[in-house]
Amino acid sequence: MKDVLTAPFMVEMIRTTTNMYAHGWDERNGGNISLLLDEAEVKEYLDVTQVLRTYEAGFSAPSLAGKYFLVTGTGKYFKNVQYAPDVNLGILRITGDGEHVELLWGYADGGKFTSEFPAHMMSHVERLKVDPENRVVMHCHPGNLLAMTYVHDLDEVQFTRTLWQMCTECIVVFPDGVNVLPWMLCGTNEIGFATADKMKTARLVVWAQHGIYGTGKDLDETFGLIETAEKAAEIYLKIAHLPLVNTITDEQMHLLEQRFGVKARPGYLN
Ligand code: 2HA
Ligand code: ZN
């Protein structure tokens, strides 16, 4: 059996959480990540018949039965993942009924998966329907996007269009746009269902006055998606109080669509 701390998925998770902390997106215990793992790969590192603990999921997700995830722990700091991955991370398997979770590795201090587990698992369910290659759900608190939810209309078309107009590459990176949830109580099944519902049509979901969810095929791509939206929000906050002299027009957006072979969300451009 190989050392799980050397597994590429583990190394990438440690690097990503460390990088997100360095970006200021994950103060204290802010943020959480779940990464869908390949069963055959997990078996190179763990005896999957050895279940350490079993938890109630708190919801039912039968379409995830038998799937393995690497998930950040509740109350854990991204800052500390690199120093104690076995305390701050866990490898989990969803049971056959989709209602329980088996711990195979990690949470070594007796801990548990993130409080946002419902939003993560329900989002995986929806994104896998759209894209069978989707492996990552990532949540964090980037300052500029968060700030923008205090001063910008939360209408999804308006919010998306503003972000697209802030950097030329935005429409190329997230042509599906950004969906937005109003403030809701976090850590609940309700916000989990609402987030997953928004995931049907976009890979980015803003939680107003809280943070953002991003999804993608791997950690790098998902990080880059949030990074691009956060950069656009930063530009918005730099210019929002100034007279607007120039912008990226819808005509120019259409040129970007053609040049990069992407299609903007229907109805979002004139
Ligand atoms: O505690 O970010 O949304 C981690 C969070 C909750
Ligand atoms: Zn949060």
Side-chain angles (χ1 to χ4, degrees):
M1 208 62 81
K2 296 193 269 185
D3 178 0
V4 72
L5 292 177
T6 68
F9 58 75
M10 187 68 68
V11 172
E12 201 54 30
M13 180 65 107
I14 294 168
R15 286 182 183 160
T16 302
T17 47
T18 302
N19 190 23
M20 290 173 75
Y21 175 71
H23 273 66
W25 298 353
D26 297 278
E27 73 290 342
R28 199 174 182 275
N29 63 319
N32 25 76
I33 304 179
S34 57
L35 169 65
L36 174 60
L37 303 174
D38 183 49
E39 179 171 27
E41 198 177 0
V42 174
K43 285 180 171 168
E44 293 176 32
Y45 300 94
L46 297 178
D47 174 356
V48 298
T49 65
Q50 296 296 310
V51 175
L52 304 177
R53 293 197 280 284
T54 303
Y55 312 90
E56 298 265 348
F59 54 85
S60 184
S63 69
L64 298 180
K67 292 203 187 303
Y68 294 78
F69 292 92
L70 177 60
V71 181
T72 54
T74 182
K76 299 296 190 257
Y77 295 19
F78 276 26
K79 174 174 78 68
N80 296 337
V81 172
Q82 62 177 321
Y83 305 114
D86 64 326
V87 172
N88 295 291
L89 302 173
I91 294 178
L92 306 169
R93 179 175 55 208
I94 310 296
T95 55
D97 60 3
E99 294 183 5
H100 297 83
V101 183
E102 294 170 323
L103 178 69
L104 302 174
W105 174 90
Y107 307 147
D109 62 352
K112 198 181 171 183
F113 45 78
T114 171
S115 61
E116 302 295 0
F117 200 61
H120 279 255
M121 293 303 119
M122 293 172 192
S123 293
H124 278 288
V125 168
E126 291 307 326
R127 287 313 300 175
L128 283 167
K129 287 182 198 163
V130 180
D131 176 8
E133 295 300 311
N134 191 96
R135 294 194 163 268
V136 178
V137 175
M138 181 182 283
H139 167 62
C140 57
H141 306 157
N144 294 294
L145 277 164
L146 225 168
M148 195 170 152
T149 68
Y150 286 87
V151 297
H152 194 284
D153 193 330
L154 296 180
D155 174 79
E156 289 168 348
V157 179
Q158 295 312 323
F159 204 92
T160 296
R161 286 180 52 82
T162 296
L163 290 176
W164 283 351
Q165 287 163 356
M166 293 304 110
C167 313
T168 293
E169 303 239 306
C170 280
I171 194 168
V172 180
V173 176
F174 50 96
D176 45 345
V178 175
N179 285 342
V180 183
L181 282 183
W183 187 93
M184 290 178 73
L185 189 60
C186 55
T188 61
N189 282 354
E190 286 69 32
I191 202 169
F193 282 126
T195 305
D197 190 52
K198 293 289 185 189
M199 288 292 179
K200 291 175 182 169
T201 49
R203 292 166 299 144
L204 286 167
V205 178
V206 167
W207 282 7
Q209 293 85 49
H210 183 136
I212 192 162
Y213 270 76
T215 62
K217 69 175 166 43
D218 59 34
L219 289 164
D220 224 21
E221 183 192 84
T222 312
F223 178 92
L225 182 63
I226 293 176
E227 186 181 29
T228 306
E230 170 63 359
K231 177 69 169 282
E234 181 184 355
I235 306 299
Y236 173 73
L237 292 178
K238 283 184 199 289
I239 67 162
H241 60 293
L242 299 172
L244 192 69
V245 178
N246 302 303
T247 190
I248 305 170
T249 65
D250 283 22
E251 203 169 41
Q252 290 165 333
M253 299 275 185
H254 287 303
L255 291 176
L256 288 163
E257 286 184 294
Q258 287 159 27
R259 170 71 182 80
F260 292 95
V262 297
K263 192 79 202 84
R265 179 108 161 242
Y268 277 46
L269 292 178
N270 296 319

